[in-house]
Amino acid sequence: MNVQVSQQQLLKAQAFKALHDRQGSFVIPNPWDAGSAKMLASLGYQALATTSAGYAFSQGKVDGALSLDETLANVRAIVAATDLPVAVDLENGFADDPLESAQSLLHAAEAGAVGGSIEDATGRPGAPIYCFEHAVARIEVAVAAVRTLPFPFILTARAENYLHGNPDLDDTIRRLQAFAAAGADVLYAPGLRSAEEVRAVVQAVAPKPVNVLMSGGLKLTVQQLEELGVRRISTGSALALAAFGEFFRAAEEIQQSGSFGFTSQSMPYARANQFFKD
């Protein structure tokens, strides 16, 4: 695929790479649509990453039910909404085959993204994780594909053991080290449960950058993660779940008590409207 790149996308790619090359940590929050992307950009974040779960929920679907076309449409909307670099949650690349999965990365780049992730989860409950050899082959082919792009595309390789009932740190580290050796730019094991596990992953793949997911059980601050050597911190579906949670509680209050107390905590209309003015 011959992906054409604009000067704006090139500058975004260079800025995104620089975030990973510098010392210290940065937070890359996960908007689920163009509106949430605009709000995050207004707060001064330096980059954004999509959330497959957050977008799926907003479309009335379970996580994992989106198509590649739906994902790319959301990418285009988020890329158009702000001037920030955008990375894409591409799940397993929407294919088992390494070549097909790698093509999804190129489609994401064509949609305006400057980074993307490929995971070793199959999407099949009976066999949720690809075997080691196939998982590594998929990253090798993905690396080869993104290196054909005319800009630095940051490829994140994900080891999904912890999200699928197999909290095996040794196997997770083995996979991340193999992904690093295959050329992945960032390593990511969502679901880590403690500072000790985070430190072990960071040390195992150093000097490659590590992304840590701050959603669910792990309770660490940005400063603590930086002290552990984490380069990138993402929120996954946490912000979407926070928004959906407040929406549900407000609707539940009306239904159960007939009251509208939630409005006292709502963002004022004028302030919300201001986010979306050109």
Side-chain angles (χ1 to χ4, degrees):
M1 180 185 297
N2 184 21
V3 177
Q4 301 298 313
V5 59
S6 66
Q7 182 66 17
Q8 184 183 34
Q9 188 175 11
L10 176 60
L11 291 174
K12 288 181 181 180
Q14 291 171 340
F16 195 45
K17 183 177 185 299
L19 285 174
H20 293 82
D21 289 343
R22 74 184 190 186
Q23 295 300 308
S25 299
F26 70 96
V27 177
I28 183 167
N30 301 79
W32 60 96
D33 60 9
S36 55
K38 280 181 175 286
M39 294 182 77
L40 289 169
S42 77
L43 290 168
Y45 288 103
Q46 297 173 283
L48 304 172
T50 67
T51 161
S52 62
Y55 184 54
F57 299 158
S58 75
Q59 299 302 297
K61 297 185 177 185
V62 298
D63 190 17
L66 294 172
S67 68
L68 175 59
D69 286 344
E70 288 173 312
T71 297
L72 294 175
N74 189 41
V75 171
R76 294 186 190 97
I78 289 175
V79 167
T82 82
D83 293 326
L84 296 179
V86 175
V88 186
D89 177 354
L90 283 167
E91 304 181 46
N92 71 339
F94 299 92
D96 296 323
D97 179 74
L99 286 173
E100 291 181 35
S101 179
Q103 284 294 305
S104 296
L105 289 163
L106 299 184
H107 286 302
E110 191 174 43
V114 296
S117 62
I118 294 292
E119 59 193 43
D120 63 357
T122 66
R124 295 186 290 274
I129 303 295
Y130 291 114
C131 74
F132 177 82
E133 291 77 12
H134 188 64
V136 174
R138 283 162 46 83
I139 298 302
E140 289 173 342
V141 175
V143 168
V146 299
R147 296 298 177 257
T148 67
L149 293 168
F151 62 87
F153 186 97
I154 300 297
L155 173 63
T156 299
R158 297 174 48 151
E160 300 283 300
N161 275 330
Y162 278 72
L163 296 188
H164 295 275
N166 182 35
D168 185 333
L169 184 61
D170 289 340
D171 183 64
T172 296
I173 286 175
R174 177 183 177 230
R175 287 169 178 265
L176 293 176
Q177 288 176 327
F179 298 161
D185 300 299
V186 178
L187 290 312
Y188 181 15
L192 297 176
R193 302 168 300 183
S194 67
E196 291 72 26
E197 289 184 338
V198 171
R199 182 184 292 108
V201 166
V202 169
Q203 293 177 347
V205 300
K208 291 276 182 109
V210 168
N211 183 99
V212 167
L213 173 67
M214 289 307 298
S215 177
L218 194 61
K219 305 297 182 185
L220 298 170
T221 66
V222 171
Q223 181 177 342
Q224 288 171 324
L225 289 165
E226 185 167 353
E227 290 171 354
L228 291 169
V230 173
R231 191 72 50 82
R232 194 174 87 182
I233 305 160
S234 61
T235 59
S237 61
L239 291 173
L241 291 173
F244 295 145
E246 287 304 308
F247 170 86
F248 187 83
R249 280 187 284 274
E252 190 176 47
E253 178 190 344
I254 299 169
Q255 182 69 9
Q256 293 184 355
S257 68
S259 62
F260 299 86
F262 69 89
T263 58
S264 65
Q265 299 297 318
S266 297
M267 179 179 289
Y269 167 86
R271 186 182 182 198
N273 198 48
Q274 188 66 37
F275 285 116
F276 309 122
K277 289 184 177 180
D278 291 333

